[in-house]
Amino acid sequence: MTDTSSSQIRTIRCSGEEIPDMPFPVAPPADDVTPLELLLELPSRAALRRTLAAADIAAELDDDDDAEQFLNELSQVELRQAAAQARYAAPQTVHYFRLSGLTDVSPSELDDLIDSRGFGGQVRAVEELHDRVYVVCSIPEDGTQAQLSVSEDARVTTVATFDLGTDLLAVRADDGDLAAGTVQALRDHPDLSEWTSVSLRDDGFRGRFEDAAVAAYEQLSLSVTSVGAGTERIDVTGEERGDSGRADVRGDDVVDDLLSRSDTDRSTAQARIDFRTADMIPTDPSVRIDFDESSVEFRQWVPERTLIQLDRTIQDAE
């Protein structure tokens, strides 16, 4: 998500109240943003190309094409399809939680939570898109602040999303405190009071996730937990392989031995993600996996379809 010091701030109206949108390229729930405006605010020509490809729009956008003129030549249906791939997408950090009661919750029930709290995290808007539910929240900067009045300047917009009938909540937030505050914004619903963070370190889950999605660990940081060990952290970087990036460090015998030891834990990893499908956009995006915070950070702009693929891969791996 972008920093507010470098992005255009829009004011959105939700449930009759004006609130500033902070970290997104455009205000996610704003009805007054046209598909054309949304697409023109994408951060790069590459991001626009990925969006068009994710929407299955075959028209090619060259580097010397005028983006606005190109988009104006698309049909209104195509513009809406492309905008739907960009509405909530951005360079994102996604945190994962299990909420046991989420499987039976409907969007209309979450609508009842909009602006229901006078402090802490607040639900601001609920939308159904891509057969998913998106819950837009306004969270204090530290994630947990609970005083009666928190200025909008000290709040951050986050988005929680899930597939109906499942219990995996994917929270798009810059850090763990904001992600936890987002989950707590849903706690007024009687069935959503209990939640747990998905552990990316869990042996069974991690193996299934790696098999389904991780093409390579190009960099890996391991924390050492042995009492009296001579080192606290081990950092490994794969050798350069030209256009294919760095080699997968898991192929190294020493690293393989370290990963099997009980006194070393994965801390962070720079990884290439490959969902084993032919329509991956972009090919092998680079992510940073934080095993301590159970989060995956995309280092480049990816369309909504890629974010959904990651969420569903984690859902299936659990």
Side-chain angles (χ1 to χ4, degrees):
M1 289 184 282
T2 58
D3 180 73
T4 57
S5 62
S6 61
S7 62
Q8 181 180 2
I9 305 299
R10 291 179 179 270
T11 298
I12 64 178
R13 183 177 294 277
C14 214
S15 300
E17 180 183 2
E18 285 193 356
I19 58 173
D21 172 66
M22 282 164 272
F24 286 90
V26 297
D31 292 329
D32 59 342
V33 178
T34 68
L36 178 62
E37 289 173 326
L38 192 155
L39 294 169
L40 288 175
E41 288 199 30
L42 290 175
S44 67
R45 187 62 59 97
L48 181 53
R49 287 197 189 96
R50 293 179 192 132
T51 301
L52 296 172
D56 297 320
I57 296 172
E60 293 187 4
L61 175 64
D62 295 327
D63 288 337
D64 55 355
D65 287 339
D66 180 88
E68 184 169 2
Q69 180 179 344
F70 176 89
L71 292 173
N72 275 320
E73 293 175 355
L74 299 179
S75 70
Q76 289 302 308
V77 171
E78 289 174 320
L79 283 174
R80 287 194 295 271
Q81 289 173 335
Q85 290 293 333
R87 188 167 178 82
Y88 292 100
Q92 294 281 4
T93 300
V94 190
H95 305 253
Y96 292 96
F97 301 88
R98 289 285 179 190
L99 287 75
S100 58
L102 192 62
T103 55
D104 299 319
V105 171
S106 68
S108 61
E109 291 177 276
L110 295 176
D111 275 334
D112 294 337
L113 300 180
I114 293 176
D115 295 329
S116 63
R117 301 187 66 86
F119 58 89
Q122 293 177 299
V123 176
R124 294 295 194 168
V126 179
E127 181 177 5
E128 293 183 76
L129 191 67
H130 305 293
D131 298 320
R132 288 170 72 81
V133 179
Y134 293 80
V135 184
V136 182
C137 297
S138 175
I139 310 298
E141 287 180 335
D142 66 357
T144 58
Q145 189 173 354
Q147 65 189 51
L148 290 178
S149 177
V150 180
S151 71
E152 294 298 345
D153 290 339
R155 302 182 76 88
V156 177
T157 300
T158 64
V159 171
T161 181
F162 64 96
D163 287 333
L164 285 169
T166 68
D167 65 355
L168 182 74
L169 188 73
V171 179
R172 301 174 187 182
D174 284 344
D175 59 48
D177 288 339
L178 290 172
T182 302
V183 180
Q184 290 168 2
L186 306 179
R187 66 187 179 274
D188 270 358
H189 190 288
D191 295 332
L192 300 180
S193 58
E194 296 183 7
W195 51 274
T196 58
S197 177
V198 173
S199 174
L200 299 183
R201 277 208 190 97
D202 178 75
D203 286 340
F205 165 78
R206 192 191 63 246
R208 292 188 294 272
F209 172 62
E210 289 179 350
D211 288 344
V214 178
Y217 282 155
E218 298 182 321
Q219 294 177 305
L220 183 62
S221 176
L222 299 171
S223 58
V224 181
T225 58
S226 296
V227 176
T231 185
E232 294 181 351
R233 193 180 73 181
I234 301 170
D235 293 318
V236 186
T237 300
E239 64 178 335
E240 288 279 5
R241 291 286 178 86
D243 293 339
S244 61
R246 293 187 178 276
D248 187 353
V249 298
R250 294 173 298 179
D252 183 87
D253 291 340
V254 174
V255 175
D256 182 62
D257 180 63
L258 288 170
L259 292 176
S260 66
R261 288 172 51 166
S262 60
D263 61 344
T264 59
D265 283 331
R266 291 164 171 81
S267 179
T268 61
Q270 187 75 15
R272 292 199 313 275
I273 294 294
D274 178 2
F275 295 105
R276 313 296 192 258
T277 59
D279 63 352
M280 184 60 224
I281 301 166
T283 302
D284 291 349
S286 178
V287 301
R288 179 181 184 271
I289 300 174
D290 190 323
F291 294 94
D292 296 319
E293 289 204 347
S294 295
S295 67
V296 178
E297 177 188 359
F298 283 85
R299 294 300 185 90
Q300 62 200 116
W301 196 96
V302 294
E304 188 63 31
R305 190 165 81 183
T306 299
L307 294 166
I308 292 173
Q309 281 182 294
L310 175 66
D311 297 348
R312 291 177 177 164
T313 298
I314 288 181
Q315 172 71 47
D316 293 342
E318 274 281 287

